[in-house]
Amino acid sequence: MKLRILAALWRLNVAEELQYRANLVASLLGTIFWIGTALLTLAVFFRHTTRLGDWDYWEVVVLLGVFNTLTGVIEAVLRPGIGRLAGEVKSGGLDLVLAKPVDAQGFVSFRRLDVWRLTDVVLGLALAGYALVRLHHVPTVAQLAAFGLALTAAVVVVYALWVALMSLAFWFVSVENLSVLFDAVYEGARYPVSAYPGALRFVFVYLIPIAWTTTIPASALTGRLEPGFALVAAAVAALAFALTRLLWRTALKRYSGASG
Amino acid sequence: MTGTVDWLRRYGALLRAAWLQDLQYRASIVLWLLWGVTEPAVALGIWWAIAADGPVQGYARADFARYFFALMLVNQLTIAWDSWYLDSWIRDGELNFRLARPIHPAHEAVAENIAYKARTAGMILVVWLIVAAVWPAVRLPFGADRWALTAAAVLLAAALRFFISFATGLLAFWTTRATAIMELHAGISLFLSGRLAPLALLPPAVARVAGFLWFPYMLAFPVDLLTGTVHGAALVQGFVGQVVWLAVWVGAYRLAWTRGLRKYGAVGG
């Protein structure tokens, strides 16, 4: 999709959202409450252990920061955009999208920007930074670069998961709450994959690739992984993106419109 | 007597309608169910890892497995979505035609709860039986009296959660953030009702605070009954707590309902 169109769409969204400034406060309070809950959850676990999947407390908090950052991207762009796909496939509202002279996948995915939810991105990165201070770990330039690349890859993987799951709407037309599937899957990304039993770990790395969303960027930042590993993350993201693009094309062929 | 027969007939009709409506959305219901069991499944995964080197305060791996399987079942049997329904009924004015009916809207909500829970808890039971066949850790000790007590506690917990959800949903008469309040409640209940961990594993001060509130009676108490870890005085105390807090929340509901209706000036009204 052309960047100019995207910029115009988002400018409109931001202008619209600026009318509802109380939502900024609500969004901030929600995020702070969520982070508090997550930290208390960790505190409960760490009352009874010193390591979780061989990660110590502050390392898991770094991961939590990454999780929150990705949550911000999801809530600001993906859920209000592609998250609405299932309902539109059912009602035939997708007709209006397909009739537009733009790439349908791009438009469906990035048409909305709930700007206030970007506070989650800021607070998530701040949390990760604070945890690094508590770890007494100053990331090297290579580690920061690896983190940047791995985090970008994570955003792409999260996006690919959304597209893959929401594409199911073309086969299961009557299921309007498909986005719940993503929430169920993403729940597993709150903790390092090494904490899970072996079989589940395999699933999270190779089949439903949520290990690449939080565990890998956090590992890159804390130096648990060699910086070069970020290139593998980038390759995984590229593969995931290509596969979902293919899936989207196949799925769209099944769409018969409002009259069908 | 005719009164009872009337009510049976009414509930028969409401249940049938709710069941058929759910049938139409059965795929969606499976997804909600899946979503509902991921949180306890992830918690079990973490506790499973923590308990690798031996029991945690008396909880071995198998105890965690039993606890969280019981939690999935009890949670599904007691969950209440009513605040979300009420919020939209009140805001969109869908409450109007429900008020015009010769039956209180709460009965429709109760019937929907029963139909939904029968379907989803049935699915969990089937999965549980299959898992229990291959994984002894999640098998429960059989005892008719204990199961009867558990059934009573689950029923009370379901009623309690229904009235909490219904009363909170009624706040939509006054505020547009009723569902946000319900989510706040859900966040607190993550710890205090035992969704994250058995209450015994929380810091003692937190567990003590929970004891003074309604949260443990929503989930932890019936779950502990089902897994067989409550006995004697704690058992009696649990039931007393359930009844007392149920009475309190029924009171809150009645207050919100009468006050709210007086204030309600529906869409177009």
Side-chain angles (χ1 to χ4, degrees), chain A residues 208-250:
Chain A
I208 312 170
I210 60 165
W212 303 90
T213 61
T214 53
T215 304
I216 301 297
S219 305
L221 193 55
T222 56
R224 197 167 256 283
L225 277 178
E226 289 301 314
F229 200 76
L231 292 174
V232 181
V236 167
L239 179 67
F241 183 81
L243 283 177
T244 44
R245 182 80 186 156
L246 212 63
L247 178 66
W248 170 268
R249 294 227 167 127
T250 316

Side-chain angles (χ1 to χ4, degrees), chain A residues 73-155:
Chain A
V73 176
I74 291 164
E75 300 301 330
V77 179
L78 297 180
R79 195 186 302 277
I82 198 159
R84 297 209 320 258
L85 181 69
E88 288 168 330
V89 170
K90 190 184 176 190
S91 69
L94 193 64
D95 287 1
L96 295 175
V97 174
L98 295 179
K100 290 184 170 66
V102 291
D103 178 67
Q105 186 186 349
F107 183 81
V108 164
S109 306
F110 305 116
R111 58 188 148 174
R112 258 210 83 82
L113 173 69
D114 279 358
V115 67
W116 299 135
R117 290 310 299 261
L118 291 178
T119 51
D120 291 59
V121 176
V122 177
L123 287 178
L125 290 174
L127 181 65
Y130 177 69
L132 281 181
V133 172
R134 293 303 298 260
L135 276 172
H136 304 295
H137 176 76
V138 183
T140 62
V141 176
Q143 281 169 351
L144 275 177
F147 172 67
L149 185 57
L151 190 64
T152 312
V155 171

Side-chain angles (χ1 to χ4, degrees), chain A residues 14-46:
Chain A
V14 170
E16 192 186 317
E17 281 292 314
L18 283 174
Q19 296 177 67
Y20 306 104
R21 274 167 229 185
N23 282 352
L24 169 65
V25 180
S27 176
L28 264 177
L29 286 178
T31 304
I32 290 167
F33 180 72
W34 190 89
I35 290 179
T37 312
L39 287 176
L40 286 174
T41 301
L42 280 190
V44 170
F45 290 140
F46 277 90

Side-chain angles (χ1 to χ4, degrees), chain B residues 39-153:
Chain B
E39 183 191 272
V42 168
L44 172 58
I46 299 299
W47 285 115
W48 188 263
I50 292 174
D53 309 324
V56 180
Q57 278 185 26
Y59 278 86
R61 279 183 153 185
D63 297 310
F64 281 117
R66 263 196 301 279
Y67 181 86
F68 283 105
F69 266 72
L71 186 84
M72 288 176 198
L73 180 66
V74 173
N75 185 39
Q76 207 58 47
L77 281 168
T78 57
I79 203 164
W81 298 105
D82 300 271
S83 33
W84 278 267
Y85 287 122
L86 275 165
D87 182 68
S88 73
W89 288 359
I90 291 169
R91 278 207 282 171
D92 303 341
E94 279 178 62
L95 187 62
N96 299 357
F97 71 83
R98 290 188 164 86
L99 285 174
R101 284 179 186 160
I103 190 166
H104 193 297
H107 293 297
E108 184 191 339
V110 171
E112 270 172 13
N113 269 287
I114 294 173
Y116 177 74
K117 286 163 184 175
R119 188 184 293 271
T120 51
M123 292 185 219
I124 290 192
L125 264 180
V126 170
V127 173
W128 192 345
L129 287 175
I130 295 169
V131 175
V134 292
W135 194 22
V138 297
R139 284 180 206 161
L140 290 178
F142 184 79
D145 49 344
R146 183 164 284 280
W147 285 21
L149 284 174
T150 305

